[in-house]
Amino acid sequence: MATTSNKSNSSNSGTSSDAPTTERTAETIQALLDRITEQATEAETRIRKAAQEAEGGLRNRAGDARENAKELTAGVENYMHNHPAQALGIAFVGGMFLSSFLKRR
């Protein structure tokens, strides 16, 4: 029986010496995972902020484009109202040009 208890003691002593190594490895892995998680969270925050800024910029540009289109339309309507004969001539020449261009294709 003494032999059996010696074997169990030697296996326990081997396990107890392995435990600190295992615990250190687990702690190291956990620390790495924590660092990776933190960096991923920071990256996600930066990406979301950049996306929001890009969205805001695009919305501003779209608004500017709408305003420019309104101004251009108002200018054309004003020109047509003040110079109807010239506007009709420009439209006629433009139509002829477009027609000849499309016929060639």
Side-chain angles (χ1 to χ4, degrees):
M1 273 187 110
T3 312
T4 307
S5 64
N6 284 342
K7 285 183 182 178
S8 64
N9 283 343
S10 66
S11 65
N12 284 342
S13 66
T15 305
S16 65
S17 67
D18 289 344
T21 304
T22 304
E23 288 174 13
R24 281 189 305 225
T25 304
E27 289 171 359
T28 302
I29 291 171
Q30 187 60 49
L32 287 172
L33 287 174
D34 290 345
R35 219 168 69 203
I36 290 169
T37 301
E38 182 181 331
Q39 289 175 354
T41 301
E42 290 172 3
E44 180 185 10
T45 301
R46 286 192 306 269
I47 290 169
R48 285 183 188 276
K49 183 179 178 182
Q52 287 173 348
E53 289 173 1
E55 179 186 14
L58 289 175
R59 286 188 190 276
N60 288 340
R61 288 182 183 175
D64 292 345
R66 268 190 234 104
E67 288 299 318
N68 288 342
K70 287 179 184 178
E71 290 175 11
L72 181 61
T73 301
V76 169
E77 287 176 354
N78 186 30
Y79 184 85
M80 287 173 49
H81 187 269
N82 293 332
H83 308 286
Q86 289 175 337
L88 183 62
I90 291 170
F92 180 77
V93 171
M96 293 295 288
F97 176 73
L98 184 62
S99 175
S100 69
F101 178 74
L102 293 175
K103 282 182 181 179
R104 289 183 181 178
R105 291 185 108 200

